[in-house]
Amino acid sequence: MFRCVFLTILAATMARSRAESFTVEGAAARAVKSNPDLAAARWTIEEARGRLWHSGRPANPELETELKPNVRGREFSLSVGFTQKFPLTKRLFIERSISEVEFAVAEAEVRDAARLLKSQVRTAAVKLLALQSQKALYDEQRKHSSNLADTATKIAEQGEGSPLDAAQYELQVQDLTLKAIETETERATLLGELRPLLGLAGTASLTITGGLSAPSSPSAGASPERRADYQAALGKEAAARSAIELARAGKWDDAGFGLAAEIERAEDAPEGLRTEGFIGLKFSLPFPFWNKNEGKIHEAAATAAKAAKQREALAARIRAEAAAALSEMEAAAKIVAQTSGPLMKKAKELEEKYDAANKLGQAPIIDVLRSRERRFALEAARLNALRDYHLARVRLLAAQGQ
């Protein structure tokens, strides 16, 4: 029995400690599904839905009663009235249309929040993959620098070289060790930022799998109409234009129609008390003499003009973001091509030549190791350019609304 309990606890502990692994796109999909801030933002849609249900409805009917007794006798009058107000303009229809647009705007804003969240997650995931490659390169460089230090020490002991070379390479080993530690620190920081975005606990183990693919031909620029924030801006502009009509319609208050019934009991000498009844219609019509809603009309017109300018500015900013990301991708792709192609080929050929010359006794080992170090520098430049390419690609996807 105790063995079963122990195995159960052990299995539960292992399940809790199991690492969560995601690709870059898998992490973005997980964030859209599990991010708590995005889940809270989705409730704005329900708020807009509630406002939509409430809008466009006429005012509730009113019941009026009045009792007037004669304080010195038995005479009194009692009246009961029923009043319903109706708009003289199409105000209710405009209110309903504005609420429908605002509901669509709320949905677009939630989609835009998901777009920004995916971009944020993709950026952190790409940086993590780049850090993993950088750490592997640092480890290889540190091993190479240790070989350089050992070789320089042996040459110095034989009196064929300077001990300063060995000290310099030892310093380089320490510098690469420090860079590896800094890489781990940066990785921990990125994981700390990524966990809440994915809806994971702060102690959850998280791993980003995969690698940074080679650059490909970038897609075309962005079309503002595909962006959720631009769709929201269009909706806000449409709602602002409808608000002008609503302000103009608000110049006229609602008219009132009603039905009234009255009973009156009065003294009629010499016959005594008599009861009389009346039934009538009521109608009230407001006139816009003093308040013509000019201020609200002007405010609504200014709001509509501002919304139009904001929408135009957003469209220009979207196109600029896409153009900048495309330029950065093209520049980074050229660096990757150069460092992966001609330059890397020359560096490897030079390293092989020095290695062959060293075996024939025509070149010292230091030249072989230094040529290898230049190859490492090219590899580091390639990794940085590849990282910059993918970060620019993330910005392009965000600009395109993907």
Side-chain angles (χ1 to χ4, degrees), residues 146-271:
S146 296
N147 294 335
L148 278 173
D150 294 340
T151 302
T153 300
K154 292 179 182 178
I155 292 175
E157 289 175 352
Q158 295 172 1
E160 299 177 0
S162 172
L164 294 178
D165 291 335
Q168 181 180 357
Y169 292 129
E170 285 290 346
L171 183 61
Q172 190 175 17
V173 170
Q174 297 300 323
D175 181 60
L176 289 169
T177 302
L178 180 60
K179 287 183 177 179
I181 295 174
E182 291 174 350
T183 300
E184 284 298 320
T185 303
E186 189 174 354
R187 180 176 179 273
T189 301
L190 286 172
L191 288 175
E193 295 174 357
L194 197 54
R195 286 190 187 97
L197 296 179
L198 301 182
L200 298 175
T203 57
S205 180
L206 174 62
T207 304
I208 300 297
T209 60
L212 299 179
S213 59
S216 58
S217 299
S219 56
S223 174
E225 289 75 14
R226 295 185 60 183
R227 281 268 293 261
D229 54 346
Y230 186 80
Q231 296 167 6
L234 283 174
K236 291 177 180 179
E237 183 181 357
R241 288 197 301 267
S242 297
I244 300 175
E245 299 180 25
L246 182 63
R248 289 170 180 165
K251 178 174 65 174
W252 291 89
D253 291 330
D254 293 348
F257 299 88
L259 179 66
E262 182 177 351
I263 299 176
E264 183 178 285
R265 190 168 178 80
E267 291 280 355
D268 187 10
E271 296 180 2

Side-chain angles (χ1 to χ4, degrees), residues 81-381:
F82 175 85
T83 304
Q84 175 66 59
K85 291 184 177 180
F86 297 93
L88 297 174
T89 60
K90 54 179 183 179
R91 176 177 58 82
L92 297 181
F93 174 78
I94 298 173
E95 287 180 354
R96 179 75 180 183
S97 65
I98 291 176
S99 295
E100 289 174 350
V101 173
E102 289 176 345
F103 179 75
V105 167
E107 290 182 321
E109 287 178 340
V110 171
R111 291 197 303 272
D112 188 59
R115 175 187 69 88
L116 296 174
L117 174 63
K118 290 169 71 175
S119 178
Q120 191 175 359
V121 170
R122 285 169 174 161
T123 298
V126 166
K127 288 181 178 179
L128 281 170
L129 290 179
L131 284 176
Q132 292 173 12
S133 299
Q134 285 180 349
K135 185 177 183 301
L137 183 61
Y138 287 153
D139 291 339
E140 188 178 357
Q141 284 182 289
R142 188 167 66 248
K143 181 179 179 182
H144 168 65
S145 296
S146 296
N147 294 335
L148 278 173
D150 294 340
T151 302
T153 300
K154 292 179 182 178
I155 292 175
E157 289 175 352
Q158 295 172 1
E160 299 177 0
S162 172
L164 294 178
D165 291 335
Q168 181 180 357
Y169 292 129
E170 285 290 346
L171 183 61
Q172 190 175 17
V173 170
Q174 297 300 323
D175 181 60
L176 289 169
T177 302
L178 180 60
K179 287 183 177 179
I181 295 174
E182 291 174 350
T183 300
E184 284 298 320
T185 303
E186 189 174 354
R187 180 176 179 273
T189 301
L190 286 172
L191 288 175
E193 295 174 357
L194 197 54
R195 286 190 187 97
L197 296 179
L198 301 182
L200 298 175
T203 57
S205 180
L206 174 62
T207 304
I208 300 297
T209 60
L212 299 179
S213 59
S216 58
S217 299
S219 56
S223 174
E225 289 75 14
R226 295 185 60 183
R227 281 268 293 261
D229 54 346
Y230 186 80
Q231 296 167 6
L234 283 174
K236 291 177 180 179
E237 183 181 357
R241 288 197 301 267
S242 297
I244 300 175
E245 299 180 25
L246 182 63
R248 289 170 180 165
K251 178 174 65 174
W252 291 89
D253 291 330
D254 293 348
F257 299 88
L259 179 66
E262 182 177 351
I263 299 176
E264 183 178 285
R265 190 168 178 80
E267 291 280 355
D268 187 10
E271 296 180 2
L273 288 173
R274 294 183 58 183
T275 302
E276 296 182 354
F278 305 92
I279 296 179
L281 298 175
K282 298 194 301 181
F283 174 71
S284 63
L285 178 64
F287 288 97
F289 284 158
W290 318 120
N291 182 13
K292 298 182 180 180
N293 238 21
E294 298 98 329
K296 289 187 176 180
I297 294 172
H298 181 80
E299 179 186 1
T303 301
K306 181 178 73 172
K309 293 298 182 183
Q310 289 175 335
R311 190 256 311 160
E312 293 172 2
L314 178 60
R317 187 164 63 249
I318 290 172
R319 294 188 181 96
E321 289 174 0
L326 278 171
S327 298
E328 292 174 18
M329 289 175 66
E330 292 172 356
K334 290 179 181 178
I335 297 175
V336 172
Q338 286 292 322
T339 53
S340 302
L343 289 178
M344 184 62 71
K345 183 179 179 180
K346 290 180 181 179
K348 289 182 178 179
E349 289 176 352
L350 186 62
E351 182 181 348
E352 291 172 358
K353 289 179 180 179
Y354 273 116
D355 187 49
N358 174 259
K359 290 179 181 179
L360 297 174
Q362 298 175 355
I365 187 63
I366 291 297
D367 291 339
V368 178
L369 297 176
R370 284 173 178 168
S371 64
R372 191 174 299 165
E373 188 175 4
R374 285 192 290 269
R375 178 173 62 83
F376 283 141
L378 282 178
E379 183 66 24

Side-chain angles (χ1 to χ4, degrees), residues 5-18:
V5 173
F6 174 76
L7 291 176
T8 302
I9 295 174
L10 180 62
T13 303
M14 292 177 65
R16 285 196 300 269
S17 62
R18 186 174 62 250

